[in-house]
Coordinates of all heavy atoms in Angstrom, one line a residue:
M1 N -30.4 40.8 2.6 CA -29.4 40.9 1.6 C -29.5 39.6 0.7 O -29.8 38.5 1.2 CB -28.0 40.9 2.3 CG -26.9 40.8 1.3 SD -25.2 40.7 2.1 CE -25.3 42.0 3.3
I2 N -29.3 39.8 -0.6 CA -29.4 38.7 -1.5 C -28.0 38.4 -2.0 O -27.3 39.3 -2.5 CB -30.3 39.0 -2.7 CG1 -31.8 39.3 -2.2 CG2 -30.4 37.9 -3.7 CD1 -32.7 39.8 -3.2
K3 N -27.6 37.2 -1.9 CA -26.3 36.7 -2.4 C -26.4 35.6 -3.4 O -27.2 34.6 -3.1 CB -25.4 36.3 -1.3 CG -25.1 37.4 -0.3 CD -24.2 36.8 0.8 CE -24.0 37.8 1.9 NZ -23.2 37.2 3.0
A4 N -25.8 35.6 -4.5 CA -25.8 34.5 -5.4 C -24.4 33.8 -5.4 O -23.4 34.4 -5.7 CB -26.1 35.0 -6.8
N5 N -24.4 32.6 -4.8 CA -23.2 31.8 -4.7 C -23.3 30.6 -5.6 O -23.8 29.6 -5.2 CB -22.9 31.4 -3.2 CG -22.8 32.5 -2.3 OD1 -22.4 33.6 -2.7 ND2 -23.1 32.3 -1.0
G6 N -22.8 30.8 -6.8 CA -22.8 29.7 -7.7 C -24.3 29.4 -8.1 O -25.0 30.2 -8.7
R7 N -24.8 28.2 -7.7 CA -26.1 27.8 -8.0 C -27.1 28.1 -6.9 O -28.3 27.9 -7.0 CB -26.2 26.4 -8.3 CG -25.3 26.0 -9.6 CD -25.3 24.6 -9.9 NE -26.6 24.3 -10.5 CZ -27.0 23.1 -10.7 NH1 -26.3 22.0 -10.3 NH2 -28.2 22.9 -11.2
E8 N -26.6 28.6 -5.7 CA -27.5 28.8 -4.6 C -27.8 30.3 -4.5 O -27.0 31.2 -4.8 CB -26.8 28.4 -3.3 CG -26.5 26.9 -3.2 CD -25.8 26.5 -1.9 OE1 -25.6 27.4 -1.1 OE2 -25.5 25.4 -1.8
L9 N -29.0 30.6 -4.1 CA -29.5 31.9 -3.8 C -29.8 32.1 -2.4 O -30.7 31.3 -1.9 CB -30.7 32.2 -4.7 CG -31.3 33.7 -4.6 CD1 -30.2 34.7 -5.1 CD2 -32.5 33.8 -5.4
D10 N -29.1 32.9 -1.7 CA -29.3 33.1 -0.2 C -30.0 34.4 0.0 O -29.4 35.5 -0.3 CB -27.9 33.1 0.4 CG -28.0 32.9 1.9 OD1 -29.1 32.7 2.4 OD2 -26.9 33.0 2.6
I11 N -31.2 34.4 0.5 CA -32.0 35.6 0.8 C -32.1 35.7 2.3 O -32.7 34.9 3.0 CB -33.4 35.5 0.2 CG1 -33.3 35.3 -1.4 CG2 -34.2 36.8 0.5 CD1 -34.6 35.1 -2.0
D12 N -31.6 36.8 2.8 CA -31.6 37.1 4.3 C -32.7 38.2 4.5 O -32.6 39.3 4.1 CB -30.3 37.6 4.8 CG -30.3 37.9 6.2 OD1 -31.3 37.5 6.9 OD2 -29.4 38.6 6.7
I13 N -33.8 37.8 5.1 CA -34.9 38.7 5.3 C -35.0 39.0 6.8 O -36.0 39.6 7.3 CB -36.2 38.3 4.7 CG1 -36.7 37.0 5.3 CG2 -36.2 38.3 3.2 CD1 -38.1 36.6 4.9
G14 N -34.0 38.6 7.5 CA -33.9 39.0 8.9 C -34.6 38.1 9.9 O -35.3 37.2 9.5
N15 N -34.3 38.3 11.1 CA -34.8 37.5 12.2 C -36.3 37.8 12.4 O -37.0 36.9 12.9 CB -34.0 37.9 13.5 CG -34.3 36.9 14.6 OD1 -34.6 35.7 14.4 ND2 -34.2 37.3 15.8
Q16 N -36.8 38.9 12.0 CA -38.2 39.3 12.2 C -39.1 38.3 11.5 O -40.1 37.9 12.0 CB -38.4 40.7 11.7 CG -39.8 41.2 12.0 CD -40.0 42.6 11.6 OE1 -39.2 43.2 10.9 NE2 -41.1 43.2 12.0
H17 N -38.7 37.9 10.3 CA -39.5 36.9 9.5 C -39.7 35.6 10.3 O -40.8 35.1 10.4 CB -38.7 36.6 8.2 CG -39.2 35.4 7.5 ND1 -38.6 34.2 7.6 CD2 -40.3 35.1 6.7 CE1 -39.2 33.3 6.9 NE2 -40.2 33.8 6.3
I18 N -38.6 35.1 10.9 CA -38.7 33.8 11.6 C -39.5 34.0 12.9 O -40.4 33.1 13.1 CB -37.2 33.4 12.0 CG1 -36.4 33.0 10.8 CG2 -37.3 32.2 13.0 CD1 -35.0 32.8 11.0
V19 N -39.4 35.1 13.6 CA -40.2 35.3 14.8 C -41.7 35.4 14.4 O -42.5 34.7 15.1 CB -39.8 36.6 15.5 CG1 -40.7 37.0 16.6 CG2 -38.4 36.4 16.0
V20 N -42.0 36.1 13.4 CA -43.4 36.3 13.0 C -44.0 34.9 12.5 O -45.1 34.5 12.9 CB -43.6 37.3 11.9 CG1 -45.0 37.3 11.2 CG2 -43.3 38.7 12.4
Q21 N -43.2 34.2 11.7 CA -43.7 32.9 11.2 C -43.9 31.9 12.3 O -44.9 31.2 12.4 CB -42.7 32.4 10.2 CG -43.2 31.1 9.5 CD -42.4 30.7 8.4 OE1 -41.3 31.2 8.1 NE2 -42.8 29.6 7.7
R22 N -43.0 31.9 13.3 CA -43.1 31.0 14.5 C -44.4 31.3 15.3 O -45.0 30.4 15.8 CB -41.9 30.9 15.3 CG -40.7 30.2 14.5 CD -39.5 30.2 15.4 NE -39.6 29.5 16.6 CZ -39.5 28.2 16.8 NH1 -39.1 27.4 15.8 NH2 -39.6 27.6 18.0
R23 N -44.7 32.6 15.4 CA -45.8 33.0 16.2 C -47.1 32.5 15.6 O -48.0 32.0 16.2 CB -45.9 34.5 16.4 CG -44.9 35.0 17.4 CD -44.9 36.5 17.6 NE -43.9 36.9 18.5 CZ -43.5 38.1 18.7 NH1 -44.1 39.1 18.0 NH2 -42.6 38.4 19.6
Y24 N -47.2 32.6 14.2 CA -48.4 32.1 13.5 C -48.5 30.6 13.6 O -49.6 30.0 13.7 CB -48.4 32.6 12.1 CG -48.8 34.0 11.9 CD1 -47.9 35.0 11.5 CD2 -50.1 34.4 12.2 CE1 -48.3 36.3 11.3 CE2 -50.6 35.7 12.0 CZ -49.6 36.7 11.6 OH -50.1 38.0 11.5
E25 N -47.3 29.9 13.5 CA -47.3 28.5 13.7 C -47.8 28.0 15.1 O -48.6 27.1 15.2 CB -45.9 27.9 13.4 CG -45.6 28.0 11.9 CD -44.1 27.5 11.7 OE1 -43.5 27.0 12.6 OE2 -43.7 27.6 10.5
A26 N -47.4 28.8 16.1 CA -47.8 28.5 17.5 C -49.3 28.7 17.6 O -50.0 27.9 18.2 CB -47.0 29.3 18.5
L27 N -49.8 29.8 17.0 CA -51.2 30.1 17.1 C -52.0 29.0 16.4 O -53.0 28.5 16.9 CB -51.5 31.5 16.4 CG -52.9 31.9 16.5 CD1 -53.4 32.1 17.9 CD2 -53.0 33.3 15.7
G28 N -51.5 28.6 15.2 CA -52.2 27.5 14.5 C -52.2 26.2 15.2 O -53.2 25.5 15.3
A29 N -51.1 25.9 15.9 CA -51.0 24.6 16.7 C -51.9 24.7 17.9 O -52.6 23.7 18.2 CB -49.5 24.4 17.2
F30 N -52.0 25.9 18.5 CA -52.9 26.0 19.6 C -54.4 25.8 19.2 O -55.2 25.2 19.8 CB -52.8 27.4 20.3 CG -53.7 27.6 21.5 CD1 -53.5 26.9 22.7 CD2 -54.8 28.5 21.3 CE1 -54.4 27.1 23.7 CE2 -55.7 28.7 22.4 CZ -55.5 28.0 23.6
N31 N -54.7 26.4 18.0 CA -56.0 26.3 17.4 C -56.3 24.8 17.2 O -57.4 24.3 17.5 CB -56.1 27.1 16.2 CG -57.5 27.1 15.6 OD1 -58.5 27.6 16.2 ND2 -57.7 26.6 14.4
D32 N -55.4 24.1 16.6 CA -55.6 22.7 16.3 C -55.8 21.9 17.6 O -56.7 21.0 17.6 CB -54.4 22.1 15.6 CG -54.3 22.6 14.1 OD1 -55.2 23.1 13.6 OD2 -53.2 22.3 13.5
L33 N -55.0 22.2 18.6 CA -55.2 21.5 19.9 C -56.6 21.8 20.5 O -57.3 20.8 20.9 CB -54.2 22.0 20.9 CG -54.3 21.5 22.3 CD1 -54.0 20.0 22.4 CD2 -53.4 22.2 23.3
M34 N -57.1 23.0 20.4 CA -58.4 23.3 20.9 C -59.5 22.6 20.1 O -60.5 22.2 20.7 CB -58.6 24.8 21.0 CG -57.7 25.6 22.0 SD -57.7 24.8 23.6 CE -59.4 25.0 24.1
I35 N -59.3 22.5 18.8 CA -60.3 21.8 18.0 C -60.4 20.3 18.5 O -61.5 19.8 18.7 CB -59.9 21.8 16.5 CG1 -60.1 23.2 15.9 CG2 -60.8 20.8 15.7 CD1 -59.4 23.4 14.6
A36 N -59.3 19.7 18.7 CA -59.3 18.3 19.2 C -59.9 18.2 20.6 O -60.7 17.3 20.8 CB -57.8 17.8 19.3
V37 N -59.7 19.2 21.5 CA -60.3 19.1 22.8 C -61.8 19.3 22.7 O -62.5 18.5 23.3 CB -59.7 20.3 23.7 CG1 -60.5 20.5 24.9 CG2 -58.2 20.0 24.0
W38 N -62.3 20.2 21.9 CA -63.7 20.4 21.8 C -64.4 19.1 21.2 O -65.5 18.7 21.7 CB -64.1 21.6 20.9 CG -63.6 22.9 21.3 CD1 -63.1 23.9 20.5 CD2 -63.5 23.4 22.7 NE1 -62.7 25.0 21.2 CE2 -62.9 24.7 22.6 CE3 -63.8 22.9 23.9 CZ2 -62.6 25.5 23.7 CZ3 -63.5 23.7 25.0 CH2 -63.0 25.0 24.9
F39 N -63.8 18.5 20.2 CA -64.4 17.3 19.6 C -64.3 16.1 20.5 O -65.3 15.3 20.6 CB -63.8 17.0 18.2 CG -64.4 17.8 17.1 CD1 -63.8 19.0 16.7 CD2 -65.6 17.4 16.5 CE1 -64.4 19.8 15.7 CE2 -66.1 18.2 15.5 CZ -65.6 19.4 15.1
L40 N -63.2 16.0 21.3 CA -63.1 14.9 22.2 C -64.1 15.0 23.3 O -64.8 14.0 23.6 CB -61.7 14.8 22.8 CG -61.4 13.7 23.7 CD1 -61.6 12.3 23.0 CD2 -60.0 13.8 24.3
I41 N -64.2 16.2 23.9 CA -65.2 16.4 25.0 C -66.6 16.2 24.5 O -67.4 15.6 25.1 CB -65.0 17.7 25.7 CG1 -63.6 17.8 26.4 CG2 -66.1 18.0 26.7 CD1 -63.3 19.2 26.9
G42 N -66.9 16.8 23.3 CA -68.2 16.7 22.7 C -68.6 15.2 22.5 O -69.7 14.8 22.7
S43 N -67.6 14.4 22.1 CA -67.8 13.0 21.8 C -68.2 12.3 23.1 O -69.1 11.4 23.1 CB -66.6 12.3 21.2 OG -66.3 12.9 20.0
F44 N -67.5 12.6 24.2 CA -67.9 12.0 25.5 C -69.2 12.4 26.0 O -70.0 11.7 26.6 CB -66.8 12.3 26.6 CG -65.6 11.4 26.5 CD1 -64.4 12.0 26.1 CD2 -65.6 10.1 26.7 CE1 -63.2 11.2 26.0 CE2 -64.5 9.3 26.6 CZ -63.3 9.9 26.3
F45 N -69.6 13.7 25.7 CA -70.9 14.2 26.1 C -72.0 13.5 25.4 O -73.1 13.3 25.9 CB -71.0 15.7 25.8 CG -70.4 16.6 26.9 CD1 -69.5 16.1 27.8 CD2 -70.7 17.9 26.9 CE1 -68.9 16.9 28.8 CE2 -70.1 18.8 27.9 CZ -69.2 18.3 28.8
F46 N -71.7 13.0 24.2 CA -72.8 12.2 23.4 C -73.1 10.9 24.1 O -74.0 10.2 23.7 CB -72.4 12.1 22.0 CG -73.0 13.1 21.1 CD1 -72.5 14.4 21.1 CD2 -74.1 12.8 20.3 CE1 -73.1 15.4 20.3 CE2 -74.7 13.8 19.5 CZ -74.2 15.1 19.5
L47 N -72.2 10.4 25.0 CA -72.5 9.1 25.6 C -73.5 9.3 26.7 O -74.0 8.3 27.2 CB -71.1 8.6 26.2 CG -70.1 8.3 25.2 CD1 -68.8 7.9 25.9 CD2 -70.5 7.2 24.2
N48 N -73.8 10.5 27.1 CA -74.8 10.7 28.2 C -75.9 11.6 27.6 O -75.7 12.7 27.1 CB -74.1 11.5 29.4 CG -75.0 11.6 30.5 OD1 -76.2 11.7 30.4 ND2 -74.4 11.7 31.7
D49 N -77.1 11.0 27.7 CA -78.3 11.7 27.0 C -78.5 13.1 27.5 O -78.9 14.0 26.8 CB -79.6 10.9 27.3 CG -79.6 9.6 26.4 OD1 -78.8 9.5 25.4 OD2 -80.3 8.7 26.8
S50 N -78.2 13.4 28.8 CA -78.4 14.7 29.3 C -77.4 15.8 28.9 O -77.6 17.0 29.0 CB -78.5 14.7 30.9 OG -77.2 14.3 31.4
L51 N -76.3 15.3 28.3 CA -75.2 16.2 27.8 C -75.2 16.3 26.3 O -74.3 17.0 25.8 CB -73.9 15.7 28.3 CG -73.7 15.7 29.9 CD1 -72.4 15.0 30.2 CD2 -73.8 17.1 30.4
V52 N -76.1 15.7 25.6 CA -76.1 15.7 24.1 C -76.1 17.2 23.6 O -75.4 17.5 22.6 CB -77.2 14.9 23.5 CG1 -77.3 15.1 22.0 CG2 -77.0 13.4 23.8
E53 N -77.0 18.0 24.1 CA -77.0 19.4 23.6 C -75.7 20.1 23.8 O -75.2 20.8 22.9 CB -78.2 20.2 24.3 CG -78.3 21.6 23.7 CD -79.5 22.3 24.4 OE1 -80.4 21.7 25.0 OE2 -79.6 23.5 24.1
S54 N -75.1 20.0 25.0 CA -73.8 20.6 25.3 C -72.7 20.0 24.3 O -71.9 20.8 23.8 CB -73.4 20.3 26.7 OG -74.3 21.0 27.6
G55 N -72.8 18.7 24.1 CA -71.9 18.1 23.1 C -72.0 18.7 21.7 O -71.0 18.9 21.0
T56 N -73.3 18.9 21.3 CA -73.5 19.5 20.0 C -72.9 20.9 19.9 O -72.3 21.2 18.9 CB -75.0 19.6 19.8 OG1 -75.6 18.3 19.8 CG2 -75.3 20.2 18.4
W57 N -73.0 21.7 21.0 CA -72.4 23.0 21.0 C -70.9 23.0 20.9 O -70.3 23.8 20.3 CB -72.9 23.8 22.2 CG -74.2 24.4 22.0 CD1 -75.4 24.0 22.6 CD2 -74.6 25.4 21.0 NE1 -76.5 24.8 22.0 CE2 -76.0 25.6 21.1 CE3 -73.8 26.2 20.1 CZ2 -76.6 26.6 20.3 CZ3 -74.5 27.1 19.3 CH2 -75.9 27.3 19.4
L58 N -70.3 22.0 21.6 CA -68.9 21.8 21.5 C -68.4 21.5 20.0 O -67.4 21.9 19.6 CB -68.4 20.7 22.4 CG -68.4 21.1 23.9 CD1 -68.1 20.0 24.8 CD2 -67.5 22.3 24.2
F59 N -69.2 20.7 19.3 CA -69.0 20.4 17.9 C -69.1 21.6 17.1 O -68.3 21.8 16.1 CB -69.9 19.3 17.4 CG -69.6 17.9 17.9 CD1 -70.6 17.0 18.1 CD2 -68.3 17.5 18.2 CE1 -70.4 15.7 18.6 CE2 -68.0 16.2 18.7 CZ -69.1 15.3 18.9
V60 N -70.0 22.5 17.4 CA -70.2 23.8 16.7 C -69.0 24.6 16.9 O -68.4 25.2 15.9 CB -71.5 24.5 17.1 CG1 -71.5 25.9 16.5 CG2 -72.7 23.7 16.7
V61 N -68.5 24.7 18.1 CA -67.3 25.5 18.4 C -66.1 25.0 17.7 O -65.3 25.7 17.1 CB -67.0 25.6 20.0 CG1 -65.7 26.2 20.3 CG2 -68.1 26.4 20.7
G62 N -65.9 23.6 17.7 CA -64.8 23.0 17.0 C -64.9 23.2 15.5 O -63.9 23.5 14.9
S63 N -66.1 23.2 15.0 CA -66.3 23.4 13.5 C -65.9 24.9 13.2 O -65.3 25.1 12.1 CB -67.7 23.1 13.1 OG -68.0 21.7 13.3
A64 N -66.3 25.8 14.0 CA -66.0 27.2 13.8 C -64.4 27.4 13.8 O -63.9 28.2 13.0 CB -66.6 28.1 14.8
Q65 N -63.8 26.7 14.7 CA -62.3 26.8 14.7 C -61.7 26.2 13.5 O -60.6 26.5 13.1 CB -61.8 26.2 16.0 CG -61.9 27.1 17.2 CD -61.2 26.6 18.4 OE1 -61.8 26.0 19.2 NE2 -59.9 27.0 18.5
L66 N -62.3 25.2 12.9 CA -61.8 24.7 11.6 C -61.8 25.8 10.5 O -61.0 25.7 9.6 CB -62.7 23.5 11.1 CG -62.4 22.2 11.9 CD1 -63.4 21.1 11.5 CD2 -61.0 21.7 11.7
I67 N -62.7 26.7 10.6 CA -62.8 27.8 9.7 C -61.6 28.8 10.0 O -61.0 29.4 9.1 CB -64.1 28.6 9.7 CG1 -65.2 27.7 9.2 CG2 -64.1 29.9 9.0 CD1 -66.6 28.2 9.4
I68 N -61.3 28.9 11.3 CA -60.2 29.8 11.7 C -58.9 29.4 11.2 O -58.0 30.2 10.9 CB -60.2 30.0 13.2 CG1 -61.5 30.7 13.7 CG2 -59.0 30.7 13.7 CD1 -61.7 30.7 15.1
K69 N -58.7 28.1 11.1 CA -57.3 27.5 10.7 C -56.8 28.1 9.4 O -55.7 28.6 9.3 CB -57.4 26.0 10.7 CG -56.1 25.3 10.4 CD -56.2 23.8 10.5 CE -54.8 23.2 10.2 NZ -54.7 21.9 10.6
P70 N -57.6 28.0 8.3 CA -57.0 28.6 7.0 C -56.9 30.1 7.1 O -56.1 30.7 6.4 CB -58.0 28.1 6.0 CG -59.2 27.7 6.7 CD -58.8 27.3 8.1
I71 N -57.7 30.8 7.9 CA -57.6 32.2 8.1 C -56.3 32.6 8.7 O -55.6 33.5 8.2 CB -58.8 32.8 8.9 CG1 -60.1 32.6 8.1 CG2 -58.6 34.2 9.3 CD1 -61.4 32.9 8.9
I72 N -55.9 31.8 9.7 CA -54.6 32.0 10.3 C -53.5 31.8 9.3 O -52.5 32.6 9.3 CB -54.4 31.1 11.6 CG1 -55.3 31.4 12.7 CG2 -52.9 31.1 12.0 CD1 -55.4 30.4 13.8
K73 N -53.6 30.8 8.5 CA -52.5 30.5 7.5 C -52.5 31.6 6.5 O -51.4 32.1 6.1 CB -52.8 29.2 6.8 CG -51.8 28.7 5.8 CD -50.5 28.5 6.5 CE -49.4 28.0 5.6 NZ -48.1 27.8 6.2
L74 N -53.6 32.1 6.0 CA -53.6 33.2 5.0 C -53.0 34.5 5.6 O -52.3 35.2 4.9 CB -55.0 33.4 4.5 CG -55.6 32.4 3.6 CD1 -57.1 32.6 3.3 CD2 -54.8 32.3 2.3
I75 N -53.4 34.8 6.8 CA -52.9 36.0 7.4 C -51.4 35.9 7.6 O -50.6 36.8 7.4 CB -53.6 36.3 8.8 CG1 -55.0 36.7 8.6 CG2 -52.8 37.4 9.6 CD1 -55.8 36.8 9.8
S76 N -50.9 34.7 8.0 CA -49.5 34.4 8.1 C -48.7 34.7 6.8 O -47.7 35.3 6.8 CB -49.2 33.0 8.6 OG -47.9 32.6 8.5
L77 N -49.3 34.1 5.7 CA -48.6 34.3 4.4 C -48.6 35.7 4.0 O -47.6 36.2 3.4 CB -49.4 33.4 3.4 CG -49.3 31.9 3.5 CD1 -50.2 31.2 2.6 CD2 -47.8 31.4 3.3
V78 N -49.6 36.5 4.2 CA -49.7 37.9 3.8 C -48.7 38.6 4.6 O -47.9 39.4 4.1 CB -51.1 38.5 4.0 CG1 -51.1 40.0 3.9 CG2 -52.0 37.8 2.9
H79 N -48.6 38.4 6.0 CA -47.7 39.1 6.9 C -46.3 38.9 6.5 O -45.5 39.8 6.4 CB -48.0 38.8 8.3 CG -47.4 39.6 9.3 ND1 -47.7 39.6 10.6 CD2 -46.5 40.6 9.2 CE1 -47.0 40.4 11.3 NE2 -46.2 41.1 10.5
V80 N -45.9 37.6 6.3 CA -44.6 37.2 6.0 C -44.2 37.8 4.6 O -43.1 38.2 4.4 CB -44.3 35.7 6.1 CG1 -43.0 35.3 5.5 CG2 -44.5 35.3 7.5
G81 N -45.1 37.8 3.7 CA -44.9 38.3 2.3 C -44.6 39.8 2.4 O -43.7 40.3 1.7
I82 N -45.3 40.5 3.3 CA -45.1 42.0 3.4 C -43.7 42.2 4.0 O -42.9 43.1 3.5 CB -46.2 42.6 4.3 CG1 -47.5 42.7 3.6 CG2 -45.7 44.0 4.8 CD1 -48.7 43.0 4.5
L83 N -43.3 41.4 5.0 CA -42.0 41.5 5.6 C -40.9 41.2 4.5 O -39.9 41.9 4.5 CB -41.8 40.5 6.7 CG -42.6 40.9 8.0 CD1 -42.4 39.8 9.0 CD2 -42.2 42.2 8.6
H84 N -41.2 40.2 3.7 CA -40.2 39.9 2.6 C -40.1 41.1 1.6 O -39.0 41.4 1.2 CB -40.7 38.6 1.9 CG -39.8 38.2 0.7 ND1 -38.6 37.6 0.9 CD2 -40.0 38.3 -0.6 CE1 -38.1 37.4 -0.2 NE2 -38.9 37.7 -1.2
N85 N -41.2 41.7 1.2 CA -41.1 42.8 0.3 C -40.4 44.0 0.9 O -39.6 44.7 0.2 CB -42.5 43.2 -0.2 CG -43.2 42.2 -1.1 OD1 -42.5 41.4 -1.8 ND2 -44.5 42.2 -1.1
I86 N -40.7 44.3 2.2 CA -40.0 45.4 2.8 C -38.5 45.1 2.9 O -37.7 46.0 2.6 CB -40.5 45.5 4.3 CG1 -41.9 46.1 4.2 CG2 -39.6 46.5 5.1 CD1 -42.7 46.1 5.6
S87 N -38.1 43.8 3.2 CA -36.7 43.5 3.2 C -36.0 43.6 1.8 O -34.9 44.1 1.8 CB -36.5 42.0 3.7 OG -35.2 41.6 3.7
L88 N -36.7 43.3 0.8 CA -36.1 43.4 -0.6 C -36.0 44.9 -1.0 O -35.0 45.2 -1.6 CB -37.0 42.7 -1.6 CG -37.0 41.1 -1.6 CD1 -38.0 40.6 -2.6 CD2 -35.6 40.6 -1.8
K89 N -36.9 45.7 -0.5 CA -36.8 47.1 -0.9 C -35.6 47.8 -0.1 O -35.1 48.8 -0.6 CB -38.1 47.8 -0.5 CG -39.2 47.5 -1.4 CD -40.5 48.2 -1.0 CE -41.7 47.8 -1.9 NZ -42.9 48.4 -1.5
Q90 N -35.2 47.2 1.0 CA -34.1 47.8 1.8 C -32.8 47.4 1.2 O -31.8 48.0 1.6 CB -34.2 47.4 3.3 CG -35.4 48.0 4.0 CD -35.6 47.5 5.4 OE1 -34.9 46.6 5.8 NE2 -36.5 48.1 6.1
C91 N -32.7 46.4 0.4 CA -31.4 45.9 -0.2 C -30.9 46.8 -1.2 O -31.4 47.5 -1.9 CB -31.6 44.5 -0.8 SG -31.8 43.3 0.5

């Protein structure tokens, strides 16, 4: 429901918007945490010559997850935008 109260515009797109947005934020936060874990462990692996190759692979995994981060954000924006459009059509 859209209400115009003086200078404020109040748009209610329902609880579903908040739930969906929070799930994407949680997924993004988990992705960020895993990136940090891979790079931290990979850094320690570089201190030991026998673990350098494994450390390199951890950096590759962390770098791939850096690509995933904006993908999660874009999917979130599209999904929430669709919910917003559906909500506006129902008004």
Side-chain angles (χ1 to χ4, degrees):
M1 178 185 310
I2 300 174
K3 297 178 185 176
N5 298 335
R7 299 180 73 192
E8 295 180 4
L9 182 63
D10 194 8
I11 302 174
D12 180 15
I13 60 173
N15 194 29
Q16 187 177 12
H17 164 264
I18 294 169
V19 170
V20 168
Q21 186 171 6
R22 289 181 59 88
R23 286 182 182 165
Y24 282 112
E25 287 176 8
L27 183 60
F30 179 73
N31 186 62
D32 289 346
L33 175 67
M34 294 310 299
I35 291 168
V37 167
W38 301 140
F39 277 94
L40 181 64
I41 294 171
S43 297
F44 281 114
F45 278 16
F46 264 75
L47 297 175
N48 186 331
D49 289 339
S50 65
L51 297 174
V52 169
E53 185 176 345
S54 297
T56 302
W57 280 109
L58 289 172
F59 288 148
V60 169
V61 170
S63 297
Q65 281 190 267
L66 286 172
I67 294 170
I68 293 171
K69 183 175 180 163
I71 292 171
I72 292 171
K73 185 64 176 178
L74 288 171
I75 291 171
S76 167
L77 292 170
V78 168
H79 193 170
V80 171
I82 290 169
L83 291 176
H84 178 72
N85 288 337
I86 290 171
S87 176
L88 288 176
K89 287 178 184 178
Q90 291 176 353
C91 288

